[in-house]
Amino acid sequence: MSAAKDFEFPNDVIFPLGDLYSDEPPLESELHLRQIILLLQSLELWWRNRNDFYVAGNLTIYYSQRQRRSEEFRGPDFFVVLGCERKVRKSWVVWEEDGKYPNIIVEFLSDSTAATDKGLKKQIFQDIFRTPEYFWFDPNNLEFAGFILIGGTYEPIEPNPQGWLWSQQLNLYLGVYEHKLRYFTAEGNLIPTPEEVAEQEKQRAEQEKQRAEQEKQRAEQEKQRAEQEKQRAERLAAKLRELNIDPENL
């Protein structure tokens, strides 16, 4: 049985030439949308100096061996392809991308999709896509699991003490942090979102402003102390002169 051929259309259906826009169903909730955006933006920021990858969310992947867009297509919630040109695409068409499939796929579970994500899609990603790593995460109950392709079969990825799962493809950990799926470096550092980077920059700028103000205050205090020392020296010299003592000869 081929699990991939569950979409069938009449023979007289006409499909447009060229790239086909992704036509995926709406996401389950705002949580799912925000989670996709978080993973996408964080990775693009982390890899901002790289041009050899493609990352997308809720985008159709066409993979028909007969190169037909009317059959065999799937839309993972989030996926990354390595070793390709970094550019905007309407969809991912395998036969137009040197036969490349995603290196990593993440599905976000919901009540209506969990069975398919854990069953049919996992089977397709394992047997047809041959995607090296597959993860799923439920934004509501925080269920999280990951699998690595070994000998043609998905085997569970063992978590580290923090419960994170290592991705060899990304060279990063995936783990739950503050009820969201996030990336972590091998050293355990959280990969920031663009908003977090902006907030960090704002805080650094504020700290620099405070340090500059403190330096200014210290300089002013030094100036005042020097002026006070000068005034004391002048008063002492004046007193000595009143006593017919030349302070220059002391």
Side-chain angles (χ1 to χ4, degrees):
M1 181 181 69
S2 174
K5 297 181 179 179
D6 59 338
F7 291 98
E8 299 203 6
F9 296 88
N11 293 330
D12 58 349
V13 173
I14 299 175
F15 291 89
L17 298 175
D19 289 343
L20 199 66
Y21 281 103
S22 181
D23 186 21
E24 291 307 304
L27 295 171
E28 186 76 12
S29 70
E30 181 181 349
L31 280 177
H32 291 71
L33 174 61
R34 290 185 178 276
Q35 180 63 79
I36 291 174
I37 293 173
L38 188 157
L39 288 185
L40 192 151
Q41 291 185 336
S42 296
L43 190 62
E44 286 192 325
L45 180 63
W46 184 247
W47 285 353
R48 57 189 175 278
N49 296 322
R50 291 180 55 170
N51 293 302
D52 62 344
F53 72 97
Y54 179 68
V55 56
N58 202 40
L59 194 80
T60 303
I61 297 175
Y62 296 94
Y63 58 97
S64 167
Q65 291 186 352
R66 296 188 294 178
Q67 299 187 6
R68 294 181 179 179
R69 292 183 174 87
S70 60
E71 60 185 20
E72 296 182 321
F73 53 89
R74 283 287 165 183
D77 289 334
F78 176 83
F79 66 90
V80 181
V81 185
L82 302 176
C84 62
E85 183 181 358
R86 184 178 182 180
K87 66 178 183 179
V88 175
R89 293 169 170 84
K90 299 174 184 177
S91 57
W92 185 266
V93 184
V94 170
W95 60 89
E96 294 178 358
E97 301 286 353
D98 298 322
K100 290 184 179 295
Y101 285 87
N103 291 72
I104 175 175
I105 291 175
V106 181
E107 292 287 357
F108 298 109
L109 306 181
S110 65
D111 291 341
S112 62
T113 67
T116 300
D117 292 336
K118 295 179 179 181
L120 175 62
K121 283 191 175 181
K122 183 183 177 187
Q123 192 78 28
I124 290 174
F125 300 154
Q126 172 186 276
D127 297 340
I128 299 176
F129 283 27
R130 311 291 290 171
T131 294
E133 293 174 350
Y134 175 46
F135 299 84
W136 67 56
F137 174 66
D138 190 324
N140 292 297
N141 64 24
L142 308 185
E143 177 184 345
F144 178 46
F147 305 86
I148 184 170
L149 196 65
I150 298 177
T153 302
Y154 276 140
E155 299 292 344
I157 299 174
E158 291 298 323
N160 72 354
Q162 290 82 14
W164 306 341
L165 304 181
W166 179 250
S167 168
Q168 295 181 5
Q169 299 297 308
L170 302 181
N171 199 34
L172 294 170
Y173 281 108
L174 284 166
V176 181
Y177 175 77
E178 294 185 347
H179 305 290
K180 298 180 180 65
L181 189 62
R182 302 290 300 267
Y183 304 111
F184 300 85
T185 66
E187 297 74 28
N189 298 318
L190 178 68
I191 301 297
T193 65
E195 292 80 7
E196 288 167 345
V197 170
E199 181 61 29
Q200 290 169 2
E201 291 296 330
K202 179 181 177 182
Q203 292 178 358
R204 277 194 289 267
E206 184 62 31
Q207 290 170 354
E208 287 297 326
K209 180 180 178 181
Q210 292 176 357
R211 280 195 289 268
E213 184 62 31
Q214 291 170 354
E215 288 296 327
K216 180 180 178 181
Q217 292 176 356
R218 280 194 290 269
E220 184 63 31
Q221 291 169 354
E222 288 296 326
K223 180 180 178 181
Q224 291 176 357
R225 279 194 292 270
E227 183 63 29
Q228 291 170 354
E229 289 296 328
K230 179 182 177 182
Q231 292 175 0
R232 279 196 293 268
E234 290 175 348
R235 288 197 296 269
L236 178 59
K239 188 66 175 178
L240 291 172
R241 290 189 185 97
E242 291 177 0
L243 299 173
N244 294 320
I245 301 172
D246 187 355
E248 300 295 332
N249 295 326
L250 293 177

PDB file of all heavy atoms in Angstrom, residues 9-27:
ATOM      1  N   PHE A   9      -7.269  13.122  -8.495  1.00  0.00           N
ATOM      2  CA  PHE A   9      -8.058  14.106  -9.206  1.00  0.00           C
ATOM      3  C   PHE A   9      -8.511  13.506 -10.535  1.00  0.00           C
ATOM      4  O   PHE A   9      -7.844  12.620 -11.097  1.00  0.00           O
ATOM      5  CB  PHE A   9      -7.231  15.362  -9.488  1.00  0.00           C
ATOM      6  CG  PHE A   9      -6.801  16.093  -8.250  1.00  0.00           C
ATOM      7  CD1 PHE A   9      -5.611  15.757  -7.613  1.00  0.00           C
ATOM      8  CD2 PHE A   9      -7.591  17.086  -7.709  1.00  0.00           C
ATOM      9  CE1 PHE A   9      -5.219  16.424  -6.476  1.00  0.00           C
ATOM     10  CE2 PHE A   9      -7.191  17.753  -6.567  1.00  0.00           C
ATOM     11  CZ  PHE A   9      -6.013  17.419  -5.954  1.00  0.00           C
ATOM     12  N   PRO A  10      -9.614  13.981 -11.070  1.00  0.00           N
ATOM     13  CA  PRO A  10     -10.062  13.522 -12.394  1.00  0.00           C
ATOM     14  C   PRO A  10      -9.007  13.827 -13.443  1.00  0.00           C
ATOM     15  O   PRO A  10      -8.239  14.782 -13.326  1.00  0.00           O
ATOM     16  CB  PRO A  10     -11.344  14.336 -12.620  1.00  0.00           C
ATOM     17  CG  PRO A  10     -11.793  14.754 -11.261  1.00  0.00           C
ATOM     18  CD  PRO A  10     -10.544  14.929 -10.463  1.00  0.00           C
ATOM     19  N   ASN A  11      -8.968  13.010 -14.494  1.00  0.00           N
ATOM     20  CA  ASN A  11      -7.959  13.178 -15.536  1.00  0.00           C
ATOM     21  C   ASN A  11      -8.103  14.471 -16.316  1.00  0.00           C
ATOM     22  O   ASN A  11      -7.155  14.933 -16.945  1.00  0.00           O
ATOM     23  CB  ASN A  11      -8.012  11.987 -16.512  1.00  0.00           C
ATOM     24  CG  ASN A  11      -7.588  10.690 -15.842  1.00  0.00           C
ATOM     25  OD1 ASN A  11      -6.767  10.718 -14.924  1.00  0.00           O
ATOM     26  ND2 ASN A  11      -8.152   9.566 -16.284  1.00  0.00           N
ATOM     27  N   ASP A  12      -9.311  15.054 -16.312  1.00  0.00           N
ATOM     28  CA  ASP A  12      -9.515  16.262 -17.109  1.00  0.00           C
ATOM     29  C   ASP A  12      -9.216  17.550 -16.350  1.00  0.00           C
ATOM     30  O   ASP A  12      -9.435  18.642 -16.869  1.00  0.00           O
ATOM     31  CB  ASP A  12     -10.955  16.315 -17.634  1.00  0.00           C
ATOM     32  CG  ASP A  12     -11.978  16.287 -16.494  1.00  0.00           C
ATOM     33  OD1 ASP A  12     -11.565  16.027 -15.346  1.00  0.00           O
ATOM     34  OD2 ASP A  12     -13.175  16.526 -16.758  1.00  0.00           O
ATOM     35  N   VAL A  13      -8.719  17.428 -15.110  1.00  0.00           N
ATOM     36  CA  VAL A  13      -8.362  18.625 -14.361  1.00  0.00           C
ATOM     37  C   VAL A  13      -7.104  19.234 -14.979  1.00  0.00           C
ATOM     38  O   VAL A  13      -6.114  18.544 -15.228  1.00  0.00           O
ATOM     39  CB  VAL A  13      -8.107  18.301 -12.880  1.00  0.00           C
ATOM     40  CG1 VAL A  13      -7.576  19.536 -12.153  1.00  0.00           C
ATOM     41  CG2 VAL A  13      -9.398  17.849 -12.227  1.00  0.00           C
ATOM     42  N   ILE A  14      -7.125  20.547 -15.246  1.00  0.00           N
ATOM     43  CA  ILE A  14      -5.998  21.239 -15.851  1.00  0.00           C
ATOM     44  C   ILE A  14      -5.252  22.008 -14.779  1.00  0.00           C
ATOM     45  O   ILE A  14      -5.847  22.772 -14.018  1.00  0.00           O
ATOM     46  CB  ILE A  14      -6.464  22.213 -16.960  1.00  0.00           C
ATOM     47  CG1 ILE A  14      -7.172  21.415 -18.058  1.00  0.00           C
ATOM     48  CG2 ILE A  14      -5.282  22.985 -17.532  1.00  0.00           C
ATOM     49  CD1 ILE A  14      -7.776  22.299 -19.132  1.00  0.00           C
ATOM     50  N   PHE A  15      -3.943  21.826 -14.698  1.00  0.00           N
ATOM     51  CA  PHE A  15      -3.121  22.517 -13.725  1.00  0.00           C
ATOM     52  C   PHE A  15      -2.249  23.536 -14.429  1.00  0.00           C
ATOM     53  O   PHE A  15      -1.756  23.286 -15.534  1.00  0.00           O
ATOM     54  CB  PHE A  15      -2.246  21.526 -12.949  1.00  0.00           C
ATOM     55  CG  PHE A  15      -3.044  20.650 -12.039  1.00  0.00           C
ATOM     56  CD1 PHE A  15      -3.565  19.442 -12.487  1.00  0.00           C
ATOM     57  CD2 PHE A  15      -3.324  21.048 -10.746  1.00  0.00           C
ATOM     58  CE1 PHE A  15      -4.319  18.646 -11.657  1.00  0.00           C
ATOM     59  CE2 PHE A  15      -4.074  20.249  -9.899  1.00  0.00           C
ATOM     60  CZ  PHE A  15      -4.572  19.050 -10.356  1.00  0.00           C
ATOM     61  N   PRO A  16      -2.031  24.687 -13.817  1.00  0.00           N
ATOM     62  CA  PRO A  16      -1.233  25.733 -14.459  1.00  0.00           C
ATOM     63  C   PRO A  16       0.214  25.313 -14.608  1.00  0.00           C
ATOM     64  O   PRO A  16       0.738  24.525 -13.830  1.00  0.00           O
ATOM     65  CB  PRO A  16      -1.367  26.918 -13.485  1.00  0.00           C
ATOM     66  CG  PRO A  16      -1.659  26.278 -12.171  1.00  0.00           C
ATOM     67  CD  PRO A  16      -2.495  25.070 -12.486  1.00  0.00           C
ATOM     68  N   LEU A  17       0.867  25.880 -15.621  1.00  0.00           N
ATOM     69  CA  LEU A  17       2.275  25.632 -15.831  1.00  0.00           C
ATOM     70  C   LEU A  17       3.100  26.438 -14.836  1.00  0.00           C
ATOM     71  O   LEU A  17       2.634  27.409 -14.268  1.00  0.00           O
ATOM     72  CB  LEU A  17       2.675  26.017 -17.264  1.00  0.00           C
ATOM     73  CG  LEU A  17       1.971  25.225 -18.378  1.00  0.00           C
ATOM     74  CD1 LEU A  17       2.373  25.793 -19.731  1.00  0.00           C
ATOM     75  CD2 LEU A  17       2.282  23.745 -18.290  1.00  0.00           C
ATOM     76  N   GLY A  18       4.381  26.037 -14.686  1.00  0.00           N
ATOM     77  CA  GLY A  18       5.276  26.788 -13.795  1.00  0.00           C
ATOM     78  C   GLY A  18       5.045  26.430 -12.343  1.00  0.00           C
ATOM     79  O   GLY A  18       4.294  25.523 -12.007  1.00  0.00           O
ATOM     80  N   ASP A  19       5.696  27.189 -11.474  1.00  0.00           N
ATOM     81  CA  ASP A  19       5.588  26.926 -10.042  1.00  0.00           C
ATOM     82  C   ASP A  19       4.156  27.052  -9.577  1.00  0.00           C
ATOM     83  O   ASP A  19       3.431  27.964  -9.980  1.00  0.00           O
ATOM     84  CB  ASP A  19       6.461  27.900  -9.245  1.00  0.00           C
ATOM     85  CG  ASP A  19       7.937  27.593  -9.431  1.00  0.00           C
ATOM     86  OD1 ASP A  19       8.244  26.495  -9.885  1.00  0.00           O
ATOM     87  OD2 ASP A  19       8.755  28.471  -9.115  1.00  0.00           O
ATOM     88  N   LEU A  20       3.775  26.157  -8.706  1.00  0.00           N
ATOM     89  CA  LEU A  20       2.433  26.185  -8.152  1.00  0.00           C
ATOM     90  C   LEU A  20       2.490  26.776  -6.754  1.00  0.00           C
ATOM     91  O   LEU A  20       3.344  26.422  -5.959  1.00  0.00           O
ATOM     92  CB  LEU A  20       1.878  24.758  -8.081  1.00  0.00           C
ATOM     93  CG  LEU A  20       0.359  24.614  -7.964  1.00  0.00           C
ATOM     94  CD1 LEU A  20      -0.316  25.101  -9.227  1.00  0.00           C
ATOM     95  CD2 LEU A  20       0.002  23.157  -7.725  1.00  0.00           C
ATOM     96  N   TYR A  21       1.594  27.704  -6.462  1.00  0.00           N
ATOM     97  CA  TYR A  21       1.562  28.266  -5.124  1.00  0.00           C
ATOM     98  C   TYR A  21       1.164  27.188  -4.125  1.00  0.00           C
ATOM     99  O   TYR A  21       0.374  26.301  -4.434  1.00  0.00           O
ATOM    100  CB  TYR A  21       0.561  29.420  -5.047  1.00  0.00           C
ATOM    101  CG  TYR A  21       1.059  30.710  -5.594  1.00  0.00           C
ATOM    102  CD1 TYR A  21       0.652  31.151  -6.847  1.00  0.00           C
ATOM    103  CD2 TYR A  21       1.952  31.492  -4.867  1.00  0.00           C
ATOM    104  CE1 TYR A  21       1.113  32.358  -7.362  1.00  0.00           C
ATOM    105  CE2 TYR A  21       2.417  32.694  -5.369  1.00  0.00           C
ATOM    106  CZ  TYR A  21       1.996  33.127  -6.620  1.00  0.00           C
ATOM    107  OH  TYR A  21       2.457  34.307  -7.117  1.00  0.00           O
ATOM    108  N   SER A  22       1.719  27.298  -2.925  1.00  0.00           N
ATOM    109  CA  SER A  22       1.345  26.371  -1.864  1.00  0.00           C
ATOM    110  C   SER A  22      -0.127  26.564  -1.528  1.00  0.00           C
ATOM    111  O   SER A  22      -0.631  27.683  -1.486  1.00  0.00           O
ATOM    112  CB  SER A  22       2.210  26.625  -0.628  1.00  0.00           C
ATOM    113  OG  SER A  22       1.868  25.724   0.396  1.00  0.00           O
ATOM    114  N   ASP A  23      -0.824  25.463  -1.301  1.00  0.00           N
ATOM    115  CA  ASP A  23      -2.251  25.525  -1.015  1.00  0.00           C
ATOM    116  C   ASP A  23      -2.556  24.629   0.172  1.00  0.00           C
ATOM    117  O   ASP A  23      -3.242  23.625   0.061  1.00  0.00           O
ATOM    118  CB  ASP A  23      -3.049  25.097  -2.240  1.00  0.00           C
ATOM    119  CG  ASP A  23      -4.547  25.291  -2.045  1.00  0.00           C
ATOM    120  OD1 ASP A  23      -4.933  26.090  -1.173  1.00  0.00           O
ATOM    121  OD2 ASP A  23      -5.328  24.629  -2.750  1.00  0.00           O
ATOM    122  N   GLU A  24      -2.002  25.005   1.316  1.00  0.00           N
ATOM    123  CA  GLU A  24      -2.147  24.195   2.512  1.00  0.00           C
ATOM    124  C   GLU A  24      -3.375  24.622   3.324  1.00  0.00           C
ATOM    125  O   GLU A  24      -3.804  25.772   3.259  1.00  0.00           O
ATOM    126  CB  GLU A  24      -0.894  24.315   3.368  1.00  0.00           C
ATOM    127  CG  GLU A  24       0.319  23.659   2.733  1.00  0.00           C
ATOM    128  CD  GLU A  24       0.050  22.226   2.327  1.00  0.00           C
ATOM    129  OE1 GLU A  24      -0.348  21.426   3.193  1.00  0.00           O
ATOM    130  OE2 GLU A  24       0.203  21.919   1.142  1.00  0.00           O
ATOM    131  N   PRO A  25      -3.950  23.687   4.086  1.00  0.00           N
ATOM    132  CA  PRO A  25      -5.104  24.036   4.926  1.00  0.00           C
ATOM    133  C   PRO A  25      -4.696  25.012   6.016  1.00  0.00           C
ATOM    134  O   PRO A  25      -3.516  25.124   6.360  1.00  0.00           O
ATOM    135  CB  PRO A  25      -5.516  22.683   5.513  1.00  0.00           C
ATOM    136  CG  PRO A  25      -4.278  21.855   5.469  1.00  0.00           C
ATOM    137  CD  PRO A  25      -3.555  22.286   4.222  1.00  0.00           C
ATOM    138  N   PRO A  26      -5.669  25.735   6.575  1.00  0.00           N
ATOM    139  CA  PRO A  26      -5.340  26.688   7.635  1.00  0.00           C
ATOM    140  C   PRO A  26      -4.778  25.994   8.860  1.00  0.00           C
ATOM    141  O   PRO A  26      -5.089  24.824   9.135  1.00  0.00           O
ATOM    142  CB  PRO A  26      -6.700  27.347   7.943  1.00  0.00           C
ATOM    143  CG  PRO A  26      -7.721  26.354   7.484  1.00  0.00           C
ATOM    144  CD  PRO A  26      -7.114  25.682   6.282  1.00  0.00           C
ATOM    145  N   LEU A  27      -3.938  26.716   9.590  1.00  0.00           N
ATOM    146  CA  LEU A  27      -3.338  26.145  10.797  1.00  0.00           C
ATOM    147  C   LEU A  27      -4.385  26.000  11.889  1.00  0.00           C
ATOM    148  O   LEU A  27      -5.395  26.710  11.911  1.00  0.00           O
ATOM    149  CB  LEU A  27      -2.197  27.044  11.266  1.00  0.00           C
ATOM    150  CG  LEU A  27      -1.010  27.132  10.297  1.00  0.00           C
ATOM    151  CD1 LEU A  27      -0.046  28.223  10.745  1.00  0.00           C
ATOM    152  CD2 LEU A  27      -0.300  25.796  10.197  1.00  0.00           C
TER     153      LEU A  27
END
